[in-house]
């Protein structure tokens, strides 16, 4: 167990039924899961290269990045304070720079990229493809663990005429000393993820991520290198359940609130003094997918802690995946969506 209690699962250590149950148990209790022993799924070299490309992109001239400013399709560059992940409590926007990369078609990105990074677009596409394959594997395993087979994996296959809302997001948080901030400010506001499942890649020694307790009263740091993984070739991937998998399972799988802070509780060997880089892959189903409750016996029998009244999905409508995404993006980028 890590400091936050998040389980560490070897996803290639047993049969799929066993791994699926482990993933579902972890997703129900924590909403976050470390996965290790990735085999040929995603290599350490691929992750290292992705971080090198992220640094290259963010070091590009600001004029190049501004020309690729994020649009309502959720693709492109966002500068410091362009996002406010917790608009109810944040006085200023997030202290981070982002670049969202969408689908490639025939080897070409379906969005502008800074000229600095265009020679490397094939490598970005390759990493995005590896993340897609990993999410498909996880969704299949979780489906098996819930007794619904390939339900989730098939729902993430893009249907003809649909856009793909799955996003590869590169993030850079400037060093705290480089940005004026108050004691109440955070680098990224408290939020749950908008999609179905997220892969989070982090660098050794970089602190900041915290998860909220189930009752919402406390925060716990999430180490990059949890105890027991120190000898692994690279840090384990952190997987978290997003809103859509929680909605699909009537709240059984937790979409846990998390944030990135300037300091926070200390984790041995980690520091928040330097720039912080991370890479997130937000997997989303086909936009036209309806989010009805899945036909799982475990979901049917689930009673939320505190009873049904504590379940935010107890009184619900069946919404489409794209309706939920647009609702959450409008909260985050209020001014951008108001212009439309």
């Amino acid at each position: 167990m890590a400091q936050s209690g998040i389980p560490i699962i070897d996803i290639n250590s047993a049969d799929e039924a066993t791994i699926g149950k482990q993933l579902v148990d972890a997703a129900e209790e924590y909403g976050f899961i470390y996965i290790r022993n990735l085999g040929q799924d995603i290599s350490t070299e691929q992750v290292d290269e992705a971080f090198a490309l992220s640094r290259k992109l963010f070091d590009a001239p600001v004029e190049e990045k501004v020309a690729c400013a994020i649009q309502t399709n959720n693709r492109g560059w966002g500068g410091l304070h362009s996002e406010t992940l917790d608009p109810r409590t944040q006085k200023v926007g997030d202290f981070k720079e982002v670049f969202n990369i969408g689908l490639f078609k025939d080897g070409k990105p379906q969005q502008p990229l800074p000229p600095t990074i265009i020679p490397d677009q094939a490598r970005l596409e390759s990493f995005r493809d590896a993340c897609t394959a990993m999410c498909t594997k996880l969704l299949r395993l979780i489906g098996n663990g819930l007794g619904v087979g390939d339900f989730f994996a098939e729902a993430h296959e893009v249907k003809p005429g649909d856009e793909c809302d799955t996003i590869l997001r590169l993030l850079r948080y400037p060093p705290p000393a480089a940005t004026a901030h108050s004691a109440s400010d955070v680098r990224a506001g408290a939020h749950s993820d908008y999609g179905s499942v997220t892969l989070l890649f982090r660098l050794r020694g970089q602190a900041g991520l915290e998860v909220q307790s189930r009752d919402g009263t406390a925060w716990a740091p999430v180490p990059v290198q949890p105890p027991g993984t120190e000898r692994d070739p690279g840090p384990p991937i952190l997987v978290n359940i997003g809103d859509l998998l929680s909605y699909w399972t009537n709240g059984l799988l937790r979409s846990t609130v998390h944030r990135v802070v300037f300091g926070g509780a200390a984790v041995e060997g980690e520091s928040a003094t330097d720039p912080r880089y991370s890479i997130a892959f937000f997997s989303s189903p086909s936009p036209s997918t309806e989010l009805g409750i899945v036909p799982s016996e475990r979901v049917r029998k689930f009673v939320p802690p505190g009873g049904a009244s504590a379940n935010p999905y107890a009184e619900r409508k069946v919404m489409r995946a794209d309706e939920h995404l647009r609702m959450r993006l409008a909260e985050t980028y209020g001014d951008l969506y108001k212009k439309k």
Side-chain angles (χ1 to χ4, degrees):
M1 292 293 183
Q3 186 167 344
S4 54
I6 296 171
I8 305 167
I9 295 177
D10 182 335
I11 63 167
N12 289 302
S13 63
D15 61 273
E16 290 197 349
T18 299
I19 300 300
K21 184 179 184 305
Q22 291 175 352
L23 289 170
V24 170
D25 289 346
E28 178 179 357
E29 180 66 22
Y30 299 96
F32 274 77
I33 310 150
Y34 289 106
I35 59 171
R36 65 191 300 200
N37 186 19
L38 305 178
Q40 298 301 310
D41 296 313
I42 300 180
S43 70
T44 303
E45 290 74 21
Q46 283 178 295
V47 176
D48 290 344
E49 181 179 66
F51 274 111
L53 293 176
S54 177
R55 291 189 182 93
K56 183 176 180 181
L57 187 149
F58 288 124
D59 287 343
V62 67
E63 296 81 7
E64 289 189 15
K65 294 182 288 187
V66 169
C68 303
I70 200 163
Q71 303 297 314
T72 53
N73 63 3
N74 197 30
R75 300 170 188 171
W77 175 78
L80 204 65
H81 308 313
S82 61
E83 286 187 352
T84 306
L85 286 175
D86 187 11
R88 291 168 296 180
T89 65
Q90 285 179 263
K91 295 179 180 178
V92 295
D94 292 357
F95 288 76
K96 68 178 190 288
E97 185 180 356
V98 305
F99 203 100
N100 289 356
I101 300 170
L103 192 66
F104 286 74
K105 292 182 180 178
D106 299 321
K108 300 294 183 182
Q110 302 302 293
Q111 67 186 87
L113 291 180
T116 295
I117 206 72
I118 285 177
D120 304 293
Q121 63 186 26
R123 290 189 287 172
L124 286 171
E125 180 184 18
S126 177
F127 184 70
R128 196 183 190 284
D129 288 346
C131 291
T132 298
M134 172 60 76
C135 285
T136 299
K137 178 175 182 175
L138 291 170
L139 289 164
R140 187 183 70 247
L141 290 168
I142 291 170
N144 287 338
L146 286 173
V148 297
D150 289 342
F151 178 91
F152 297 123
E154 290 176 353
H156 286 68
E157 296 174 0
V158 179
K159 299 177 178 64
D162 271 349
E163 284 294 325
C164 178
D165 287 326
T166 293
I167 290 293
L168 173 64
R169 162 167 278 205
L170 311 178
L171 301 102
R172 180 187 184 274
Y173 300 80
T179 54
H181 60 276
S182 69
S184 62
D185 287 332
V186 291
R187 289 172 121 175
H191 66 286
S192 59
D193 284 357
Y194 309 165
S196 54
V197 66
T198 301
L199 307 179
L200 181 64
F201 303 87
R202 297 180 292 164
L203 293 172
R204 284 188 176 98
Q206 297 193 349
L209 181 64
E210 294 183 338
V211 293
Q212 191 177 57
S213 60
R214 186 182 287 274
D215 62 8
T217 62
W219 293 92
V222 183
V224 175
Q225 198 86 48
T229 67
E230 296 87 352
R231 293 179 178 271
D232 289 4
I237 299 174
L238 190 61
V239 176
N240 69 282
I241 300 301
D243 292 347
L244 299 189
L245 270 187
S246 187
Y247 203 78
W248 250 324
T249 59
N250 208 31
L252 170 71
L253 304 185
R254 289 185 62 195
S255 184
T256 300
V257 174
H258 51 286
R259 66 183 185 182
V260 178
V261 296
F262 281 99
V267 173
E268 185 177 357
E270 294 186 6
S271 169
T273 57
D274 296 326
R276 179 182 186 269
Y277 290 86
S278 64
I279 299 173
F281 186 77
F282 300 112
S283 182
S284 291
S286 178
S288 60
T289 302
E290 292 191 344
L291 304 172
I293 299 172
V294 296
S296 162
E297 186 67 10
R298 182 164 176 174
V299 170
R300 188 185 68 78
K301 293 180 177 179
F302 172 66
V303 177
S309 61
N311 182 358
Y313 307 115
E315 295 183 9
R316 50 174 288 160
K317 68 170 186 175
V318 176
M319 70 169 68
R320 286 168 40 128
D322 57 350
E323 291 176 329
H324 178 272
L325 177 63
R326 304 309 164 209
M327 176 182 70
R328 293 298 306 274
L329 289 174
E331 294 171 356
T332 301
Y333 298 102
D335 290 343
L336 177 64
Y337 278 76
K338 287 173 185 175
K339 292 176 184 176
K340 298 292 182 182

